[in-house]
């Protein structure tokens, strides 16, 4: 499975932004220069209108935080699989390749984990091709049990940790309610690897959250418009990400969008069907009449 033209353009835009980031170091400068060179410098008018792209919003201090706007059914997950390779290639090659993949709902979590794990699925096939078959996908319970997850494995392969928001999104005053914040004997081998200055307050080195923080992961946020609350921002900060990539069809005001895809691009590639037309009628006779009218 290969990228469709509009998907490839998204990756091209991402890689162009990454060039700016590697040159300028500061993500805000990179984002603002990226858009200034494309559409002109940002200028706010007295009447509230503006030209250019609004400046970078530093939502997650210490991390590069950008978004990709792709309509529903546009293949965001496949785009993300390719984006991981582009992002990791722009980072320090000596660092562990760790990705936290966040989804908003439990059913989407299982679907995403299954597709990324299945060797015959196009998503996993693409990841295997990009990372030389050195890819492992973990769900929360596997990580908590240390199943195939150890200091050696995290250094030798691409590690994708699939979570739903509720596993991580919790007020820090209630963090004891979540196993990822608790001491964990199954992860004792990670204790020497965890950096004390990165540990969350009142947590042990073997808590899964501290191991993830030490890995300084890339974070993929699927349906990111569901991750805008105060607790969601806290959730992202708790992960200590190096890079956050939002995937959404409906970005919020604070999104730093580097690539847009419109619905016509999907229609051109036969990714969407004809629109469904819905009317609300109170009588069945009205339903039949409308159906006949539409047919004619």
């Amino acid at each position: 499975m290969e990228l469709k033209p509009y998907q490839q353009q998204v990756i091209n835009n991402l890689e162009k932004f990454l060039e700016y980031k590697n040159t300028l170091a500061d993500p805000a400068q990179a984002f603002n220069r990226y858009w200034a060179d494309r559409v002109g410098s940002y200028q706010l008018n007295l009447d509230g209108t503006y030209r250019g792209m609004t400046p970078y919003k530093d939502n997650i201090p210490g991390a590069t935080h950008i978004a990709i706007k792709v309509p529903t059914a546009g293949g965001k997950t496949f785009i993300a699989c390719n984006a991981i390779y582009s992002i990791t290639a722009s980072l320090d090659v000596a660092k562990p390749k760790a990705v936290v993949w966040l989804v908003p709902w439990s059913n989407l979590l299982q679907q995403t984990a299954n597709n990324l794990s299945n060797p015959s699925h196009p998503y996993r096939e693409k990841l295997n091709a990009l990372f030389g078959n050195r890819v492992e996908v973990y769900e929360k319970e596997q990580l908590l049990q240390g199943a195939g997850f150890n200091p050696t494995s995290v250094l030798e392969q691409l590690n994708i940790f699939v979570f739903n928001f509720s596993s991580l999104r919790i007020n820090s005053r209630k963090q004891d309610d979540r196993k990822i914040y608790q001491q964990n004997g199954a992860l004792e081998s990670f204790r020497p690897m965890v950096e004390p200055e990165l540990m969350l307050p009142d947590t042990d080195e073997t808590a899964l959250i501290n191991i993830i923080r030490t890995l300084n992961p890339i974070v993929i946020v699927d349906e990111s418009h569901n991750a805008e609350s105060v607790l969601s921002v806290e959730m992202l900060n708790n992960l200590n990400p190096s890079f956050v990539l939002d995937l959404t069809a409906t970005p919020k005001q604070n999104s730093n969008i580097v690539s847009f895809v419109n619905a016509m691009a999907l229609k051109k590639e036969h990714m969407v069907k004809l629109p469904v037309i819905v009317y609300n009628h109170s009588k069945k006779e009205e339903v039949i009449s409308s159906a006949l009218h539409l047919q004619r």
Side-chain angles (χ1 to χ4, degrees):
M1 183 173 174
E2 296 302 322
L3 291 163
K4 295 184 180 299
Y6 73 86
Q7 295 172 329
Q8 182 62 61
Q9 186 58 53
V10 170
I11 297 301
N12 292 347
N13 291 341
L14 170 63
E15 291 180 347
K16 189 65 178 177
F17 166 76
L18 292 170
E19 289 178 15
Y20 280 86
K21 187 184 78 71
N22 287 340
T23 300
L24 299 173
D26 178 57
Q29 291 184 35
F31 181 84
N32 297 338
R33 181 74 62 81
Y34 168 81
W35 278 113
D37 289 350
R38 292 186 64 181
V39 299
S41 298
Y42 173 75
Q43 180 179 324
L44 179 63
N45 301 318
L46 293 176
D47 61 0
T49 62
Y50 63 89
R51 58 175 293 182
M53 175 60 76
T54 53
Y56 182 84
K57 298 93 176 173
D58 193 12
N59 306 312
I60 311 296
T64 302
H65 187 189
I66 61 170
I68 291 172
K69 180 185 183 300
V70 180
T72 301
K76 293 192 295 294
T77 304
F78 189 61
I79 290 172
C81 291
N82 288 268
I84 289 171
Y85 181 77
S86 299
I87 296 168
T88 55
S90 74
L91 300 175
D92 183 356
V93 295
K95 291 179 55 178
K97 294 180 177 64
V99 175
V100 174
W101 196 304
L102 296 176
V103 298
W105 309 294
S106 296
N107 61 333
L108 185 56
L109 179 146
Q110 205 55 61
Q111 175 185 319
T112 301
N114 289 344
N115 291 344
L116 294 176
S117 301
N118 182 356
S120 61
H121 194 280
Y123 299 163
R124 182 54 180 265
E125 288 179 342
K126 174 56 70 171
L127 288 169
N128 283 341
L130 292 172
F131 290 93
N133 294 300
R134 302 177 74 83
V135 180
E136 193 60 57
V137 178
Y138 301 91
E139 294 183 59
K140 182 181 68 173
E141 291 306 317
Q142 293 172 287
L143 293 169
L144 290 171
Q145 294 166 11
F149 178 57
N150 56 67
T152 301
S153 67
V154 298
L155 295 173
E156 294 181 343
Q157 61 195 14
L158 172 68
N159 307 271
I160 301 178
F161 313 141
V162 185
F163 290 95
N164 60 12
F165 294 173
S166 62
S167 297
L168 299 163
R169 186 166 56 189
I170 187 167
N171 192 304
S172 59
R173 290 171 296 180
K174 299 179 181 179
Q175 65 189 26
D176 289 341
D177 296 341
R178 290 290 185 264
K179 291 183 179 180
I180 67 165
Y181 292 95
Q182 297 173 3
Q183 181 178 355
N184 189 337
L187 301 177
E188 185 67 33
S189 60
F190 282 99
R191 187 182 292 275
M193 182 178 174
V194 173
E195 301 177 28
E197 64 273 15
L198 292 179
M199 292 172 55
L200 292 178
D202 303 317
T203 59
D204 188 77
E205 288 96 332
T206 62
L208 178 58
I209 188 65
N210 287 328
I211 294 166
I212 293 174
R213 286 174 60 82
T214 294
L215 295 175
N216 196 209
I218 297 166
V219 177
I220 305 292
V221 188
D222 198 1
E223 306 290 351
S224 61
H225 52 276
N226 293 295
E228 299 292 330
S229 67
V230 172
L231 288 181
S232 295
V233 174
E234 181 185 27
M235 167 187 72
L236 293 174
N237 276 300
N238 282 347
L239 293 170
N240 186 38
S242 57
F243 200 105
V244 180
L245 177 64
D246 290 343
L247 307 171
T248 181
T250 54
K252 300 296 185 180
Q253 288 290 330
N254 67 342
S255 298
N256 300 310
I257 304 172
V258 298
S259 190
F260 298 83
V261 175
N262 61 43
M264 290 305 296
L266 272 66
K267 188 173 186 299
K268 182 179 178 182
E269 296 298 326
H270 309 290
M271 296 290 282
V272 291
K273 307 294 184 182
L274 289 173
V276 176
I277 302 173
V278 180
Y279 297 97
N280 186 20
H281 293 304
S282 58
K283 299 179 181 179
K284 65 180 180 181
E285 291 82 6
E286 294 176 357
V287 176
I288 295 171
S289 177
S290 289
L292 291 171
H293 177 74
L294 182 61
Q295 182 188 49
R296 295 189 187 112

